[in-house]
Amino acid sequence: MEAKQPNSNVIMRTENPVHEGDLKWVIGNACQFSRRLISSNFSLQRECEPEFQIVAKFNVRFPDVHVVNVNVGIQRIDSGDKSVYVTADAQILNTSGDVYCRKEVIFNCASGGAPFYIFSEMFSDSTSKLTPPGFPGLKTGISSDDIDEFFHLRVKNLITAHGNVNRIFVLPTDALVVKILIKTYGCCIVTNKEDVTDEPERQTPKSHVYQLLNDFKNAYQHQELTDIELVVGERTIRAHKFVLQARSPVFRNMFKHELEETTAGTIQIDDVDYTVLQALIWYLYTAVVLKLSYDDLCDLYEAADKYQVHSLQKECAEILKSSLGADTACRILVLADMHNDSLLRQQTVDYIWRNFAEVKDTEDWELTMRSHQRVASDVLEKVCNFKPESKS
C-alpha cells in the first residue's frame, strides 16, 4: 500500500524597498475662521500604490485675539489593501521661511484610515492683538513663559481663565506653510516563493492556552529577560520585542526596519499617555482589557487603532457602547467617525437620535456642531426626517 504524501503549500517571502517624496503646501487666511482643508493628492513613486494627502483642521480658540488652533496630519487615501510603514519629517513655517515647529514621526498607515495628526499648535495673525502698544519688535510667538510686562491684558485674561497658555505663533501675513518629507516601507513588495509541507493541525486544550497566557503575563510582570524600554515622559515600561511585534504590526515594522531608537533598546512614545500605553501593553500580553476611566478608555480605543491591535479596538468599542449617555455620546460619535468604525458610529447616531432632547443641551453637542459639522449633520438629518410611527 502506497503511503499518502503530505500536501504542499507555498509561502511568500517579501522584501520591502523604501520610497520617499515631499510636499509643500501654502495655506492663506490661516487665523480667520474654523474649517477643515486637504492638500492635493501625492504619491512617492510613479509605480508606488499608496497615495497621501495632508489634512489641516483650524479651530478658533480665542476669537477676540484671532487665536486659532491648527492640527496638521497625514492621511492615506488610495484603495490599496496593504498597510505601509511611514516615517515623516514635518515642518510648519511662515512665508519668509522661518521654521516654527518641526517633528519626525513614525507610524503604520492603512488605506481609508483616519489622519495621523503630527502638530497641534496655536497661531495668530498679528502681535498687535496679543501685546500692548509700543511692543519692542516682532516676535515669532508668545507664551505664558514670556516676560510678564510684554503681555496684553487680553492674553493675561486667557491665562487667568485657562491656566498656562502654550506658545502662540505669529503669522505676519496670515499664511501658513506646511512642508513634509515622507518615506514609506512595504508599499512595493518583491516576492519569493517557497514550498512548505502541510502538516495536520492538532487542537490545543484550552487549559494549555490559559497556561500560555499566564506564562506571558508572569514574564511581563516580573520583567524577565526584557529587551526593549518604552519611554513616556519620565516613566518607562519594560517589555519583550517578540511579544510586541507578534501582536502589533506597528511595533513589528519598527523592529523589522531597525530604526535607530529600537536598536538602542528604547522607544520614545509621544502619542500615548502612560496609563493608556500600560493598558495597551497589558492587553498585548494577556488579551485582557484593564478597567479604565471613560477618558482613558477613549484614548485606548484610539491607541488600539494607531497600533493596529484590532481585537482591542473592538473590545473598547463594546465598552464604549455600554457607556453611551447624554454627556458621552458626542465624543464617542466623533471617535467612531475618525476611526472609520461604521458599527459604533451608527449605534451612536441612533442613540443621539432617540435622546436628542437631552444631548442637544450639552456643551459637547455645541462643540460637535462647530468642529465636526459633517457628523452633526448626519444626526440632524435623522432627527429632521423622523416620523413618529417609525421610532421604536
Side-chain angles (χ1 to χ4, degrees):
M1 182 176 178
E2 186 177 343
K4 184 179 180 181
Q5 295 297 319
N7 294 329
S8 175
N9 288 331
V10 174
I11 64 172
M12 313 297 286
R13 302 212 178 268
T14 64
E15 297 178 4
N16 300 328
V18 179
H19 289 156
E20 67 177 68
D22 57 7
L23 176 72
K24 179 179 179 180
W25 184 24
V26 180
I27 306 172
N29 297 319
C31 304
Q32 300 304 312
F33 45 83
S34 297
R35 54 188 168 155
R36 183 179 187 271
L37 300 176
I38 57 175
S39 71
S40 57
N41 304 343
F42 69 101
S43 57
L44 308 188
Q45 302 284 344
R46 180 173 298 177
E47 71 278 8
C48 189
E49 181 182 61
E51 196 171 6
F52 299 91
Q53 65 184 14
I54 309 302
V55 179
K57 293 195 305 183
F58 297 80
N59 295 308
V60 174
R61 291 291 301 276
F62 311 121
D64 55 330
V65 288
H66 280 211
V67 173
V68 63
N69 176 238
V70 181
N71 293 274
V72 177
I74 302 172
Q75 184 174 32
R76 184 176 166 191
I77 57 172
D78 61 273
S79 57
D81 57 358
K82 299 190 298 290
S83 293
V84 296
Y85 187 60
V86 175
T87 64
D89 181 359
Q91 302 177 61
I92 294 182
L93 314 86
N94 62 20
T95 51
S96 299
D98 300 315
V99 178
Y100 289 152
C101 42
R102 180 174 184 172
K103 281 187 181 179
E104 293 187 24
V105 294
I106 305 163
F107 61 98
N108 196 276
C109 192
S111 176
F116 182 91
Y117 284 101
I118 303 171
F119 296 112
S120 180
E121 304 290 349
M122 290 195 289
F123 292 87
S124 179
D125 57 0
S126 174
T127 52
S128 63
K129 300 181 178 66
L130 300 171
T131 57
F135 180 75
L138 182 67
K139 294 166 64 73
T140 57
I142 192 166
S143 77
S144 304
D145 299 328
D146 289 322
I147 301 173
D148 184 73
E149 60 263 26
F150 287 164
F151 280 130
H152 193 286
L153 178 60
R154 283 176 290 188
V155 176
K156 291 182 179 180
N157 290 340
L158 291 181
I159 295 173
T160 301
H162 300 279
N164 284 344
V165 177
N166 292 331
R167 180 159 295 278
I168 300 172
F169 293 107
V170 177
L171 296 170
T173 61
D174 198 20
L176 187 73
V177 180
V178 179
K179 292 177 67 176
I180 297 184
L181 171 65
I182 293 180
K183 295 182 180 180
T184 63
Y185 308 80
C187 52
C188 302
I189 297 177
V190 178
T191 61
N192 296 308
K193 296 181 180 180
E194 182 178 328
D195 290 334
V196 294
T197 302
D198 184 14
E199 297 289 347
E201 185 177 346
R202 293 182 57 191
Q203 286 291 101
T204 302
K206 287 186 177 180
S207 60
H208 292 187
V209 176
Y210 296 148
Q211 183 62 51
L212 178 64
L213 289 173
N214 192 57
D215 290 342
F216 274 102
K217 181 180 72 172
N218 288 336
Y220 173 59
Q221 287 181 315
H222 297 117
Q223 300 187 349
E224 298 171 352
L225 302 176
T226 56
D227 55 0
I228 193 71
E229 293 185 349
L230 309 178
V231 181
V232 184
E234 302 291 327
R235 309 176 77 174
T236 300
I237 297 174
R238 296 172 61 187
H240 304 82
K241 288 183 181 180
F242 171 75
V243 176
L244 302 190
Q245 67 88 23
R247 301 279 279 145
S248 165
V250 175
F251 283 121
R252 179 163 60 251
N253 281 323
M254 286 184 184
F255 303 140
K256 188 175 183 180
H257 295 288
E258 295 185 343
L259 298 179
E260 181 179 348
E261 58 184 353
T262 64
T263 55
T266 63
I267 302 178
Q268 186 72 38
I269 304 293
D270 297 320
D271 56 351
V272 179
D273 289 339
Y274 177 81
T275 301
V276 176
L277 181 63
Q278 201 173 36
L280 172 65
I281 302 302
W282 181 260
Y283 182 86
L284 298 185
Y285 277 88
T286 67
V288 173
V289 181
L290 290 176
K291 187 175 182 180
L292 298 172
S293 68
Y294 166 71
D295 288 335
D296 286 340
L297 180 64
C298 290
D299 291 342
L300 181 60
Y301 173 88
E302 289 195 274
D305 188 30
K306 285 181 182 178
Y307 287 85
Q308 294 195 338
V309 188
H310 300 306
S311 59
L312 174 59
Q313 186 182 4
K314 289 179 181 178
E315 293 210 42
C316 290
E318 290 299 319
I319 300 172
L320 288 172
K321 290 175 193 175
S322 66
S323 303
L324 281 170
D327 294 327
T328 61
C330 291
R331 181 176 180 184
I332 294 174
L333 176 61
V334 171
L335 272 178
D337 182 71
M338 290 178 61
H339 295 275
N340 295 310
D341 190 336
S342 57
L343 182 60
L344 179 60
R345 187 184 192 279
Q346 186 58 52
Q347 291 183 340
T348 308
V349 168
D350 290 343
Y351 176 88
I352 297 175
W353 166 58
R354 290 186 171 89
N355 300 273
F356 190 67
E358 297 176 56
V359 176
K360 69 181 178 63
D361 292 330
T362 64
E363 291 184 7
D364 278 357
W365 174 251
E366 292 296 325
L367 181 60
T368 303
M369 289 280 288
R370 292 196 304 269
S371 302
H372 304 280
Q373 297 174 3
R374 181 172 55 83
V375 290
S377 67
D378 289 348
V379 175
L380 292 174
E381 181 180 3
K382 186 160 187 173
V383 171
C384 293
N385 292 335
F386 163 63
K387 297 179 181 180
E389 64 271 19
S390 67
K391 188 173 181 180
S392 57

